[in-house]
Coordinates of all heavy atoms in Angstrom, one line a residue:
L1 N 37.9 -22.9 -63.1 CA 38.7 -23.9 -63.8 C 38.9 -23.7 -65.3 O 39.9 -24.0 -65.9 CB 38.0 -25.3 -63.6 CG 38.1 -25.9 -62.2 CD1 37.4 -27.2 -62.2 CD2 39.6 -26.1 -61.9
E2 N 37.9 -23.0 -65.9 CA 38.0 -22.6 -67.3 C 39.3 -21.9 -67.5 O 40.0 -22.2 -68.5 CB 36.8 -21.8 -67.7 CG 36.9 -21.4 -69.2 CD 35.8 -20.5 -69.6 OE1 34.7 -20.5 -68.9 OE2 35.9 -19.8 -70.6
W3 N 39.6 -20.9 -66.7 CA 40.8 -20.1 -66.8 C 42.1 -21.0 -66.7 O 43.0 -20.8 -67.5 CB 40.8 -19.0 -65.8 CG 42.1 -18.1 -65.9 CD1 42.3 -17.1 -66.8 CD2 43.3 -18.3 -65.1 NE1 43.6 -16.6 -66.6 CE2 44.2 -17.3 -65.5 CE3 43.7 -19.1 -64.1 CZ2 45.5 -17.2 -65.0 CZ3 44.9 -19.0 -63.5 CH2 45.8 -18.0 -64.0
V4 N 42.1 -21.9 -65.8 CA 43.2 -22.8 -65.6 C 43.5 -23.6 -66.9 O 44.6 -23.6 -67.4 CB 43.0 -23.7 -64.4 CG1 44.2 -24.8 -64.4 CG2 42.9 -22.9 -63.1
F5 N 42.5 -24.2 -67.4 CA 42.6 -24.9 -68.7 C 43.0 -24.1 -69.9 O 43.9 -24.5 -70.7 CB 41.4 -25.7 -69.0 CG 41.1 -26.8 -68.0 CD1 39.9 -26.9 -67.3 CD2 42.0 -27.9 -67.8 CE1 39.7 -27.9 -66.3 CE2 41.8 -28.9 -66.9 CZ 40.7 -28.9 -66.2
R6 N 42.5 -22.9 -69.9 CA 42.9 -22.0 -71.0 C 44.3 -21.5 -70.8 O 45.0 -21.4 -71.8 CB 41.9 -20.8 -71.1 CG 40.5 -21.2 -71.6 CD 39.5 -20.1 -71.6 NE 40.0 -18.9 -72.3 CZ 39.9 -17.7 -71.7 NH1 39.3 -17.5 -70.6 NH2 40.4 -16.6 -72.3
R7 N 44.8 -21.4 -69.6 CA 46.2 -21.0 -69.4 C 47.1 -22.1 -69.8 O 48.2 -21.9 -70.4 CB 46.4 -20.7 -67.9 CG 46.1 -19.4 -67.4 CD 46.9 -18.3 -68.0 NE 48.3 -18.5 -67.8 CZ 49.3 -18.1 -68.7 NH1 48.9 -17.4 -69.8 NH2 50.5 -18.3 -68.4
C8 N 46.7 -23.3 -69.6 CA 47.5 -24.5 -70.0 C 47.7 -24.5 -71.5 O 48.7 -25.0 -72.0 CB 46.8 -25.8 -69.5 SG 46.9 -26.1 -67.8
D9 N 46.7 -23.9 -72.2 CA 46.8 -23.9 -73.7 C 47.3 -22.5 -74.1 O 47.2 -22.2 -75.3 CB 45.4 -24.1 -74.3 CG 45.0 -25.6 -74.1 OD1 45.8 -26.5 -73.9 OD2 43.7 -25.8 -74.0
D10 N 47.8 -21.7 -73.2 CA 48.3 -20.3 -73.5 C 47.2 -19.5 -74.2 O 47.5 -18.7 -75.1 CB 49.6 -20.4 -74.4 CG 50.8 -20.9 -73.7 OD1 50.9 -20.6 -72.4 OD2 51.6 -21.6 -74.3
E11 N 46.0 -19.6 -73.7 CA 44.9 -18.9 -74.3 C 44.3 -17.9 -73.4 O 43.3 -17.2 -73.8 CB 43.8 -19.9 -74.8 CG 44.3 -20.8 -75.9 CD 43.2 -21.8 -76.3 OE1 42.2 -21.9 -75.7 OE2 43.5 -22.6 -77.3
A12 N 44.8 -17.8 -72.2 CA 44.1 -16.9 -71.2 C 45.2 -15.9 -70.6 O 46.4 -16.3 -70.5 CB 43.5 -17.6 -70.1
E13 N 44.8 -14.7 -70.4 CA 45.7 -13.7 -69.8 C 46.0 -14.0 -68.4 O 45.2 -14.5 -67.6 CB 45.0 -12.3 -69.9 CG 44.9 -11.8 -71.3 CD 44.2 -10.4 -71.2 OE1 44.5 -9.6 -70.3 OE2 43.4 -10.1 -72.1
A14 N 47.2 -13.6 -68.0 CA 47.7 -13.7 -66.6 C 48.6 -12.5 -66.3 O 49.2 -12.0 -67.2 CB 48.3 -15.0 -66.4
V15 N 48.7 -12.2 -65.0 CA 49.7 -11.2 -64.5 C 50.6 -11.9 -63.5 O 50.1 -12.8 -62.8 CB 49.0 -10.0 -64.0 CG1 48.2 -9.2 -65.1 CG2 48.0 -10.3 -62.9
E16 N 51.8 -11.4 -63.4 CA 52.7 -11.9 -62.4 C 52.3 -11.3 -61.0 O 51.9 -10.2 -60.9 CB 54.1 -11.4 -62.7 CG 54.8 -12.1 -63.9 CD 55.3 -13.5 -63.5 OE1 55.5 -13.8 -62.4 OE2 55.5 -14.2 -64.5
S17 N 52.5 -12.2 -60.0 CA 52.3 -11.8 -58.6 C 53.4 -12.5 -57.8 O 54.0 -13.5 -58.3 CB 50.9 -12.1 -58.1 OG 50.8 -13.5 -57.7
P18 N 53.6 -12.1 -56.6 CA 54.5 -12.9 -55.7 C 54.2 -14.4 -55.6 O 55.0 -15.2 -55.4 CB 54.4 -12.2 -54.4 CG 54.0 -10.8 -54.7 CD 53.1 -11.0 -55.9
M19 N 52.9 -14.7 -55.8 CA 52.4 -16.1 -55.7 C 52.6 -16.8 -57.0 O 52.4 -18.0 -57.0 CB 51.0 -16.1 -55.2 CG 50.8 -15.7 -53.8 SD 49.1 -15.6 -53.2 CE 48.3 -17.0 -54.1
G20 N 52.8 -16.1 -58.1 CA 52.8 -16.7 -59.4 C 51.9 -16.0 -60.3 O 51.5 -14.9 -60.1
L21 N 51.5 -16.7 -61.3 CA 50.5 -16.1 -62.3 C 49.1 -16.1 -61.8 O 48.6 -17.1 -61.3 CB 50.6 -16.8 -63.6 CG 51.9 -16.8 -64.4 CD1 51.9 -17.7 -65.6 CD2 52.2 -15.3 -64.8
L22 N 48.4 -15.0 -61.9 CA 47.0 -14.8 -61.6 C 46.2 -14.4 -62.8 O 46.7 -13.7 -63.7 CB 46.9 -13.8 -60.5 CG 47.5 -14.0 -59.1 CD1 47.3 -12.9 -58.2 CD2 47.0 -15.3 -58.5
A23 N 45.0 -14.7 -62.7 CA 44.0 -14.3 -63.8 C 43.8 -12.8 -63.7 O 43.8 -12.2 -62.7 CB 42.7 -15.0 -63.6
T24 N 43.6 -12.3 -64.9 CA 43.2 -10.9 -65.0 C 41.7 -10.9 -64.9 O 41.0 -11.9 -65.2 CB 43.6 -10.2 -66.3 OG1 43.0 -10.9 -67.4 CG2 45.1 -10.2 -66.5
P25 N 41.1 -9.8 -64.4 CA 39.6 -9.8 -64.4 C 38.9 -10.1 -65.7 O 37.9 -10.8 -65.8 CB 39.3 -8.4 -63.9 CG 40.5 -7.9 -63.2 CD 41.7 -8.6 -63.9
Q26 N 39.6 -9.6 -66.8 CA 39.0 -9.8 -68.1 C 39.1 -11.3 -68.6 O 38.4 -11.7 -69.5 CB 39.7 -8.9 -69.2 CG 39.6 -7.5 -68.9 CD 40.6 -7.0 -67.8 OE1 41.6 -7.7 -67.5 NE2 40.4 -5.8 -67.3
A27 N 40.1 -12.0 -68.0 CA 40.3 -13.4 -68.4 C 39.3 -14.4 -67.8 O 39.2 -15.5 -68.2 CB 41.7 -13.8 -68.1
L28 N 38.6 -14.0 -66.8 CA 37.7 -14.9 -66.1 C 36.3 -14.8 -66.7 O 35.8 -13.7 -66.9 CB 37.7 -14.6 -64.6 CG 39.0 -14.8 -63.9 CD1 38.8 -14.4 -62.4 CD2 39.3 -16.3 -63.9
N29 N 35.7 -15.9 -66.8 CA 34.3 -15.9 -67.3 C 33.4 -15.8 -66.0 O 33.2 -16.7 -65.3 CB 34.0 -17.2 -68.0 CG 32.5 -17.3 -68.5 OD1 31.7 -16.4 -68.2 ND2 32.2 -18.4 -69.1
T30 N 32.8 -14.6 -65.9 CA 31.9 -14.4 -64.7 C 30.5 -14.3 -65.1 O 29.6 -13.9 -64.3 CB 32.3 -13.1 -64.0 OG1 32.2 -12.0 -64.9 CG2 33.8 -13.2 -63.4
E31 N 30.2 -14.8 -66.3 CA 28.8 -14.8 -66.8 C 27.9 -15.6 -65.8 O 28.2 -16.6 -65.3 CB 28.7 -15.5 -68.1 CG 27.3 -15.4 -68.8 CD 27.3 -16.1 -70.1 OE1 28.4 -16.0 -70.8 OE2 26.3 -16.6 -70.5
G32 N 26.8 -14.9 -65.5 CA 25.8 -15.5 -64.5 C 26.1 -15.2 -63.1 O 25.3 -15.6 -62.2
L33 N 27.2 -14.6 -62.8 CA 27.5 -14.2 -61.4 C 27.2 -12.8 -61.2 O 27.3 -11.9 -62.1 CB 29.0 -14.4 -61.2 CG 29.6 -15.8 -61.3 CD1 31.1 -15.7 -61.1 CD2 29.0 -16.8 -60.4
E34 N 26.6 -12.5 -60.0 CA 26.3 -11.1 -59.7 C 27.6 -10.6 -58.9 O 27.5 -10.5 -57.7 CB 25.1 -11.0 -58.8 CG 23.8 -11.5 -59.6 CD 22.6 -11.4 -58.8 OE1 22.6 -10.7 -57.7 OE2 21.6 -11.9 -59.2
L35 N 28.6 -10.3 -59.7 CA 29.9 -9.9 -59.1 C 30.3 -8.6 -59.6 O 30.5 -8.4 -60.8 CB 30.9 -11.0 -59.5 CG 32.3 -10.9 -58.8 CD1 32.2 -11.0 -57.3 CD2 33.2 -12.1 -59.3
E36 N 30.3 -7.6 -58.7 CA 30.8 -6.2 -59.1 C 32.2 -6.2 -59.5 O 33.0 -7.0 -58.9 CB 30.5 -5.3 -57.9 CG 29.1 -5.1 -57.6 CD 28.3 -4.4 -58.7 OE1 28.9 -3.5 -59.3 OE2 27.1 -4.7 -58.9
P37 N 32.7 -5.4 -60.4 CA 34.1 -5.3 -60.7 C 35.0 -5.1 -59.5 O 36.1 -5.6 -59.4 CB 34.1 -4.2 -61.7 CG 32.8 -4.1 -62.3 CD 31.8 -4.5 -61.2
A38 N 34.6 -4.2 -58.6 CA 35.4 -4.0 -57.4 C 35.5 -5.2 -56.6 O 36.6 -5.5 -56.0 CB 34.8 -2.8 -56.6
A39 N 34.5 -6.0 -56.5 CA 34.6 -7.3 -55.7 C 35.5 -8.2 -56.4 O 36.3 -8.9 -55.7 CB 33.2 -7.9 -55.5
L40 N 35.5 -8.3 -57.7 CA 36.4 -9.2 -58.4 C 37.8 -8.8 -58.2 O 38.7 -9.6 -58.0 CB 36.0 -9.3 -59.9 CG 36.9 -10.2 -60.8 CD1 36.8 -11.6 -60.3 CD2 36.4 -10.1 -62.2
A41 N 38.0 -7.5 -58.3 CA 39.4 -6.9 -58.0 C 39.9 -7.3 -56.7 O 41.1 -7.7 -56.5 CB 39.4 -5.4 -58.2
R42 N 39.0 -7.3 -55.6 CA 39.4 -7.7 -54.3 C 39.8 -9.2 -54.2 O 40.7 -9.6 -53.6 CB 38.3 -7.3 -53.3 CG 38.3 -5.9 -52.9 CD 37.4 -5.6 -51.7 NE 36.1 -6.2 -51.8 CZ 35.0 -5.6 -52.4 NH1 35.2 -4.4 -52.9 NH2 33.8 -6.1 -52.4
L43 N 39.0 -10.0 -54.9 CA 39.2 -11.4 -55.0 C 40.6 -11.8 -55.6 O 41.2 -12.7 -55.2 CB 38.1 -12.1 -55.7 CG 36.8 -12.2 -55.0 CD1 35.7 -12.7 -55.9 CD2 36.8 -13.0 -53.7
L44 N 41.0 -11.0 -56.6 CA 42.2 -11.2 -57.3 C 43.4 -10.5 -56.7 O 44.6 -10.7 -57.2 CB 42.1 -10.8 -58.8 CG 41.0 -11.6 -59.6 CD1 40.9 -11.1 -61.0 CD2 41.4 -13.1 -59.6
A45 N 43.2 -9.7 -55.7 CA 44.3 -9.0 -55.1 C 45.2 -9.9 -54.2 O 44.7 -10.9 -53.6 CB 43.8 -7.9 -54.2
V46 N 46.5 -9.6 -54.1 CA 47.4 -10.4 -53.3 C 47.9 -9.5 -52.2 O 48.5 -8.5 -52.4 CB 48.6 -10.9 -54.1 CG1 49.6 -11.6 -53.2 CG2 48.2 -11.8 -55.2
D47 N 47.6 -9.9 -50.9 CA 48.0 -9.2 -49.7 C 49.4 -9.7 -49.3 O 49.5 -10.7 -48.6 CB 47.0 -9.4 -48.6 CG 47.3 -8.6 -47.4 OD1 48.4 -8.1 -47.2 OD2 46.4 -8.4 -46.6
T48 N 50.4 -9.0 -49.8 CA 51.8 -9.5 -49.6 C 52.1 -9.5 -48.1 O 52.9 -10.3 -47.6 CB 52.8 -8.7 -50.4 OG1 52.6 -7.3 -50.1 CG2 52.6 -9.0 -51.9
D49 N 51.6 -8.5 -47.3 CA 51.9 -8.5 -45.9 C 51.3 -9.7 -45.2 O 52.0 -10.3 -44.4 CB 51.3 -7.2 -45.3 CG 52.1 -5.9 -45.7 OD1 53.3 -6.0 -46.1 OD2 51.4 -4.8 -45.7
A50 N 50.1 -10.0 -45.6 CA 49.5 -11.2 -45.0 C 50.3 -12.5 -45.3 O 50.4 -13.4 -44.5 CB 48.0 -11.4 -45.4
L51 N 50.7 -12.6 -46.6 CA 51.5 -13.7 -47.0 C 52.8 -13.8 -46.2 O 53.2 -14.9 -45.8 CB 51.9 -13.6 -48.5 CG 50.8 -14.1 -49.5 CD1 51.3 -13.7 -50.9 CD2 50.6 -15.5 -49.4
R52 N 53.5 -12.7 -46.0 CA 54.7 -12.7 -45.2 C 54.4 -13.2 -43.8 O 55.2 -14.0 -43.2 CB 55.3 -11.3 -45.1 CG 56.1 -11.0 -46.3 CD 56.9 -9.6 -46.1 NE 57.1 -9.0 -47.4 CZ 56.3 -8.1 -47.9 NH1 55.3 -7.6 -47.3 NH2 56.6 -7.6 -49.1
Q53 N 53.3 -12.8 -43.2 CA 53.0 -13.2 -41.9 C 52.7 -14.7 -41.8 O 52.9 -15.4 -40.8 CB 51.8 -12.4 -41.3 CG 52.1 -11.0 -41.1 CD 50.9 -10.2 -40.7 OE1 49.8 -10.7 -40.6 NE2 51.0 -8.9 -40.6
Q54 N 52.1 -15.3 -42.9 CA 51.8 -16.7 -42.9 C 52.9 -17.7 -43.2 O 52.9 -18.9 -42.9 CB 50.7 -17.0 -43.9 CG 49.4 -16.3 -43.5 CD 48.3 -16.4 -44.6 OE1 48.6 -16.9 -45.7 NE2 47.1 -15.9 -44.3
L55 N 54.0 -17.1 -43.7 CA 55.1 -18.0 -44.1 C 55.7 -18.8 -43.0 O 56.0 -20.0 -43.2 CB 56.2 -17.1 -44.8 CG 55.9 -16.7 -46.2 CD1 57.0 -15.8 -46.7 CD2 55.8 -17.9 -47.1
P56 N 55.9 -18.3 -41.8 CA 56.4 -19.2 -40.7 C 55.5 -20.4 -40.5 O 56.0 -21.5 -40.2 CB 56.5 -18.3 -39.5 CG 56.6 -16.9 -40.1 CD 55.8 -16.9 -41.4
Q57 N 54.2 -20.2 -40.5 CA 53.3 -21.3 -40.3 C 53.4 -22.3 -41.4 O 53.3 -23.5 -41.2 CB 51.8 -20.8 -40.2 CG 51.6 -19.9 -39.0 CD 50.2 -19.3 -39.0 OE1 49.9 -18.6 -40.0 NE2 49.4 -19.5 -38.0
V58 N 53.5 -21.8 -42.6 CA 53.6 -22.7 -43.8 C 54.9 -23.5 -43.7 O 54.9 -24.8 -43.9 CB 53.5 -21.9 -45.1 CG1 53.9 -22.8 -46.3 CG2 52.2 -21.3 -45.3
R59 N 56.0 -22.9 -43.4 CA 57.3 -23.5 -43.2 C 57.2 -24.6 -42.1 O 57.6 -25.7 -42.3 CB 58.4 -22.5 -42.9 CG 59.7 -23.2 -42.8 CD 60.9 -22.3 -42.8 NE 61.2 -21.7 -44.1 CZ 61.8 -22.3 -45.1 NH1 62.1 -23.6 -45.0 NH2 62.0 -21.7 -46.2
A60 N 56.6 -24.2 -41.0 CA 56.5 -25.2 -39.9 C 55.7 -26.4 -40.3 O 56.0 -27.5 -39.9 CB 55.9 -24.5 -38.7
H61 N 54.6 -26.2 -41.0 CA 53.8 -27.3 -41.5 C 54.5 -28.2 -42.4 O 54.5 -29.4 -42.3 CB 52.5 -26.8 -42.2 CG 51.7 -27.9 -42.8 ND1 50.9 -28.7 -42.0 CD2 51.5 -28.2 -44.1 CE1 50.3 -29.6 -42.9 NE2 50.7 -29.3 -44.1
L62 N 55.2 -27.6 -43.4 CA 56.0 -28.4 -44.3 C 57.1 -29.2 -43.7 O 57.5 -30.3 -44.1 CB 56.5 -27.5 -45.5 CG 55.4 -27.0 -46.4 CD1 56.0 -26.0 -47.4 CD2 54.5 -28.1 -47.0
E63 N 57.7 -28.6 -42.7 CA 58.8 -29.3 -42.0 C 58.4 -30.6 -41.3 O 59.2 -31.4 -41.1 CB 59.5 -28.3 -41.0 CG 60.3 -27.2 -41.7 CD 60.9 -26.2 -40.7 OE1 60.6 -26.3 -39.5 OE2 61.6 -25.3 -41.2
R64 N 57.1 -30.7 -41.1 CA 56.6 -31.9 -40.5 C 56.8 -33.1 -41.4 O 56.8 -34.3 -40.9 CB 55.1 -31.8 -40.1 CG 54.9 -30.8 -39.1 CD 53.4 -30.5 -38.8 NE 52.6 -31.7 -38.7 CZ 51.3 -31.8 -38.9 NH1 50.6 -30.7 -39.1 NH2 50.7 -32.9 -38.8
F65 N 57.0 -32.9 -42.7 CA 57.1 -34.0 -43.7 C 58.6 -34.4 -43.8 O 58.9 -35.5 -44.4 CB 56.6 -33.5 -45.0 CG 55.1 -33.3 -45.0 CD1 54.6 -32.0 -44.9 CD2 54.3 -34.3 -45.2 CE1 53.3 -31.8 -44.8 CE2 52.9 -34.1 -45.2 CZ 52.4 -32.8 -45.0
G66 N 59.5 -33.6 -43.2 CA 60.9 -34.0 -43.2 C 61.5 -34.3 -44.5 O 61.2 -33.6 -45.5
E67 N 62.1 -35.5 -44.6 CA 62.8 -35.9 -45.9 C 61.8 -36.3 -46.9 O 62.1 -36.4 -48.1 CB 63.8 -37.0 -45.6 CG 65.0 -36.6 -44.8 CD 65.9 -37.8 -44.5 OE1 65.8 -38.8 -45.2 OE2 66.7 -37.7 -43.6
H68 N 60.5 -36.5 -46.5 CA 59.5 -36.9 -47.5 C 59.0 -35.7 -48.3 O 58.2 -36.0 -49.3 CB 58.3 -37.6 -46.8 CG 58.8 -38.9 -46.1 ND1 59.1 -40.0 -46.7 CD2 58.9 -39.1 -44.7 CE1 59.5 -40.9 -45.9 NE2 59.4 -40.4 -44.6
L69 N 59.3 -34.5 -47.9 CA 58.8 -33.4 -48.6 C 59.6 -33.3 -49.9 O 60.8 -33.2 -49.9 CB 59.0 -32.1 -47.8 CG 58.5 -30.8 -48.4 CD1 57.0 -30.8 -48.5 CD2 59.0 -29.6 -47.7
P70 N 58.9 -33.2 -51.1 CA 59.6 -33.1 -52.3 C 60.5 -31.8 -52.4 O 60.1 -30.8 -51.9 CB 58.5 -33.0 -53.4 CG 57.3 -33.7 -52.7 CD 57.5 -33.3 -51.2
A71 N 61.7 -32.0 -53.0 CA 62.6 -30.8 -53.1 C 61.9 -29.7 -53.8 O 62.2 -28.5 -53.5 CB 63.9 -31.3 -53.7
A72 N 61.1 -30.0 -54.8 CA 60.4 -28.9 -55.6 C 59.5 -28.1 -54.7 O 59.4 -26.9 -54.9 CB 59.7 -29.5 -56.7
V73 N 58.9 -28.7 -53.7 CA 58.0 -28.0 -52.8 C 58.8 -27.0 -52.0 O 58.5 -25.9 -51.8 CB 57.1 -28.9 -52.0 CG1 56.3 -28.1 -51.0 CG2 56.2 -29.7 -52.9
R74 N 59.9 -27.6 -51.4 CA 60.8 -26.8 -50.6 C 61.3 -25.6 -51.4 O 61.4 -24.4 -50.9 CB 61.9 -27.6 -50.1 CG 62.8 -27.0 -49.0 CD 63.9 -27.9 -48.5 NE 63.4 -29.3 -48.2 CZ 62.8 -29.7 -47.2 NH1 62.4 -28.8 -46.2 NH2 62.4 -31.0 -47.0
A75 N 61.7 -25.8 -52.6 CA 62.3 -24.8 -53.5 C 61.2 -23.7 -53.8 O 61.5 -22.5 -53.8 CB 62.8 -25.4 -54.8
E76 N 60.0 -24.1 -54.0 CA 58.9 -23.2 -54.3 C 58.7 -22.2 -53.0 O 58.5 -21.0 -53.2 CB 57.6 -23.9 -54.6 CG 57.5 -24.4 -56.0 CD 57.5 -23.4 -57.1 OE1 57.0 -22.2 -56.8 OE2 58.0 -23.7 -58.2
L77 N 58.7 -22.8 -51.8 CA 58.6 -22.0 -50.6 C 59.7 -21.0 -50.5 O 59.5 -19.8 -50.2 CB 58.5 -22.9 -49.4 CG 58.4 -22.2 -48.1 CD1 57.1 -21.3 -48.0 CD2 58.4 -23.1 -46.9
E78 N 60.9 -21.5 -50.7 CA 62.1 -20.6 -50.6 C 62.0 -19.5 -51.7 O 62.3 -18.3 -51.4 CB 63.4 -21.4 -50.8 CG 63.6 -22.3 -49.6 CD 64.8 -23.3 -49.8 OE1 65.4 -23.2 -50.9 OE2 65.0 -24.0 -48.9
E79 N 61.6 -19.8 -52.9 CA 61.4 -18.8 -53.9 C 60.3 -17.8 -53.6 O 60.5 -16.6 -53.8 CB 61.1 -19.4 -55.3 CG 62.3 -20.2 -55.8 CD 62.0 -21.0 -57.1 OE1 60.9 -20.8 -57.7 OE2 62.8 -21.9 -57.4
L80 N 59.2 -18.2 -53.0 CA 58.2 -17.3 -52.5 C 58.7 -16.4 -51.5 O 58.4 -15.2 -51.5 CB 57.0 -18.1 -52.0 CG 55.8 -17.3 -51.4 CD1 55.2 -16.4 -52.4 CD2 54.8 -18.2 -50.8
E81 N 59.5 -16.9 -50.5 CA 60.0 -16.1 -49.5 C 60.9 -15.0 -50.1 O 60.9 -13.9 -49.7 CB 60.8 -17.0 -48.5 CG 59.9 -17.8 -47.6 CD 60.7 -18.8 -46.7 OE1 61.8 -19.3 -47.2 OE2 60.2 -19.1 -45.6
E82 N 61.7 -15.4 -51.1 CA 62.6 -14.4 -51.7 C 61.8 -13.3 -52.5 O 62.1 -12.1 -52.4 CB 63.5 -15.1 -52.7 CG 64.6 -15.9 -52.1 CD 65.5 -16.6 -53.1 OE1 65.6 -16.1 -54.2 OE2 66.1 -17.7 -52.8
R83 N 60.7 -13.7 -53.2 CA 59.9 -12.8 -53.9 C 59.2 -11.8 -52.9 O 59.0 -10.6 -53.3 CB 58.8 -13.5 -54.7 CG 59.4 -14.2 -56.0 CD 58.4 -14.7 -56.9 NE 57.4 -15.6 -56.3 CZ 57.5 -16.9 -56.3 NH1 58.6 -17.5 -56.9 NH2 56.6 -17.7 -55.8
L84 N 58.9 -12.3 -51.8 CA 58.2 -11.4 -50.8 C 59.2 -10.5 -50.0 O 58.7 -9.5 -49.4 CB 57.4 -12.2 -49.8 CG 56.1 -12.9 -50.4 CD1 55.5 -13.9 -49.4 CD2 55.1 -11.9 -50.9
G85 N 60.4 -10.9 -50.1 CA 61.5 -10.0 -49.5 C 61.5 -10.1 -48.0 O 61.1 -9.9 -47.1

């Protein structure tokens, strides 16, 4: 959460991904965690193939809300689909 709040204040680094902005390993406070750099890199990785495979399920779930689904949520899903190609 620290990173999220720092991002809101434009004080933390981020990188673009198909899902949006993600923390860089250096931007996260991992003090007190026994977390190897390679493990942190795996946690921050985006598996675009897996995301593409999950999109039909996400779309089906959101369609259950019908007209009650906010247009902004629908637009975000469509933009994600475009970014993933």
Side-chain angles (χ1 to χ4, degrees):
L1 285 176
E2 177 185 339
W3 178 82
V4 173
F5 290 120
R6 290 180 46 230
R7 277 295 305 147
C8 290
D9 293 333
D10 291 325
E11 297 175 356
E13 292 180 38
V15 292
E16 288 282 341
S17 83
M19 291 177 35
L21 294 174
L22 295 178
T24 63
Q26 301 80 17
L28 294 175
N29 179 359
T30 58
E31 185 178 331
L33 300 177
E34 294 181 15
L35 189 59
E36 295 291 326
L40 181 57
R42 284 192 308 274
L43 290 170
L44 295 174
V46 176
D47 185 341
T48 54
D49 290 333
L51 277 174
R52 277 188 208 97
Q53 291 175 4
Q54 293 172 357
L55 283 176
Q57 292 171 307
V58 172
R59 182 170 284 287
H61 174 72
L62 293 177
E63 286 175 357
R64 295 175 45 198
F65 296 94
E67 294 179 16
H68 298 288
L69 183 69
V73 173
R74 190 177 318 280
E76 285 291 333
L77 177 60
E78 290 169 2
E79 290 172 16
L80 176 60
E81 289 173 327
E82 287 179 28
R83 287 191 302 270
L84 290 172

